[in-house]
């Protein structure tokens, strides 16, 4: 169970919907916790060992995304996708390819990613899910970078930057939502 040192003052609470829609901590803002804090801690403590490891890895990548944001937007974006991918259900091996002898699986990573986001992101349109994965694949396979990583240092307003920044911010929010929804899911499939 979660216990609090009674000598410490209580940390102020915010409604979860307000807390999780903020962009993060800022200098001068008070530290608060969501009103669902103990509930999520309880859910985490009830996870199986494998689910606990998977969720901890997902949190690691979610945190790394913030750590590297000012160094590389592409790496930061990829870390958010890694956080989600770490919670995907394992593929089912359907046997060997008779020609190349490689293992065949029931679903590709991209299909499992799309299904996972569809299940845990509360109505994210399929075109947005496809865009998230398209950008991830472009970065991961060397076909592209986020626009801010391609330009010379310095501030320049660029419509392409602004558009990709919006996609990045959306992915940050989606990743946070997906992690919380996965943790709360009663029919969670072990990663």
């Amino acid at each position: 169970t979660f216990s609090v040192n009674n000598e410490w003052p209580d940390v102020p609470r915010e409604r979860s919907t307000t807390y999780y829609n903020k962009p993060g901590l800022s200098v001068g803002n008070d530290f608060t916790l969501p009103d669902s804090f103990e509930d999520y801690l309880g859910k985490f403590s009830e996870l199986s060992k494998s689910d606990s490891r998977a969720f901890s890895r997902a949190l690691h990548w979610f945190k790394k995304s913030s750590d590297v944001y000012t160094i590389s937007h592409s790496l930061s974006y990829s870390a958010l996708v890694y956080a989600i991918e770490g919670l995907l259900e394992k593929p089912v091996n359907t046997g060997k390819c008779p020609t190349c002898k490689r293992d065949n699986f029931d679903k590709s990573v991209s299909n499992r990613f799309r299904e996972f986001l569809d299940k845990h992101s509360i109505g994210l349109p399929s075109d947005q899910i496809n865009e998230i994965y398209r950008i991830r694949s472009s970065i991961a396979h060397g076909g592209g970078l986020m626009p801010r990583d391609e330009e010379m240092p310095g501030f320049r307003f660029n419509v392409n930057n602004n558009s990709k920044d919006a996609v990045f911010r959306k992915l940050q929010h989606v990743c946070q939502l997906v992690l919380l929804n996965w943790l709360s899911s009663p029919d969670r499939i072990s990663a």
Side-chain angles (χ1 to χ4, degrees), residues 162-182:
N162 198 35
S163 170
K164 289 291 171 49
D165 285 348
V167 171
F168 182 87
R169 285 188 304 277
K170 178 75 168 184
L171 179 57
Q172 283 179 309
H173 183 70
V174 165
C175 186
Q176 184 180 50
L177 180 67
V178 164
L179 293 176
L180 293 171
N181 287 346
W182 181 88

Side-chain angles (χ1 to χ4, degrees), residues 85 88 107-116 129-130 133 136-137:
E85 286 180 332
L88 299 180
K107 298 175 189 170
S108 67
V109 175
S110 60
N111 284 340
R112 289 185 296 123
F113 183 84
R114 287 179 183 98
E115 288 176 4
F116 185 85
I129 293 172
N130 291 337
Y133 203 78
R136 168 257 183 237
S137 295

Side-chain angles (χ1 to χ4, degrees), residues 34-181:
D35 56 11
S36 57
F37 181 70
E38 286 86 1
D39 184 43
Y40 284 122
L41 278 179
K43 289 177 187 312
F44 180 77
S45 70
E46 294 169 1
L47 292 176
S48 68
K49 194 171 194 172
S50 65
D51 282 350
S52 177
R53 281 195 306 267
F55 192 71
S56 294
R57 280 191 307 270
L59 292 176
H60 167 83
W61 286 116
F62 186 75
K63 170 70 169 90
K64 287 299 169 199
S65 176
S66 295
D67 293 348
V68 300
Y69 180 77
T70 58
I71 299 165
S72 171
H73 286 207
S74 303
L75 186 55
S76 183
Y77 186 95
S78 296
L80 291 171
V81 176
Y82 298 159
I84 295 168
E85 286 180 332
L87 297 176
L88 299 180
E89 70 179 87
K90 300 291 183 219
V92 175
N93 188 325
T94 59
K96 300 264 186 204
C97 170
T99 307
C100 70
K101 308 298 183 212
R102 288 186 175 173
D103 288 333
N104 284 326
F105 296 98
D106 63 332
K107 298 175 189 170
S108 67
V109 175
S110 60
N111 284 340
R112 289 185 296 123
F113 183 84
R114 287 179 183 98
E115 288 176 4
F116 185 85
L117 280 186
D118 190 46
K119 179 179 179 180
H120 293 286
S121 67
I122 304 180
L124 188 65
S126 62
D127 62 321
Q128 289 183 20
I129 293 172
N130 291 337
E131 178 69 358
I132 288 168
Y133 203 78
R134 187 195 63 71
I135 293 170
R136 168 257 183 237
S137 295
S138 177
I139 293 167
H141 301 296
L145 294 170
M146 295 297 280
R148 292 193 187 274
D149 293 340
E150 293 179 329
E151 67 182 27
M152 297 298 291
F155 176 79
R156 285 185 283 172
F157 179 78
N158 176 310
V159 173
N160 194 29
N161 282 0
N162 198 35
S163 170
K164 289 291 171 49
D165 285 348
V167 171
F168 182 87
R169 285 188 304 277
K170 178 75 168 184
L171 179 57
Q172 283 179 309
H173 183 70
V174 165
C175 186
Q176 184 180 50
L177 180 67
V178 164
L179 293 176
L180 293 171
N181 287 346

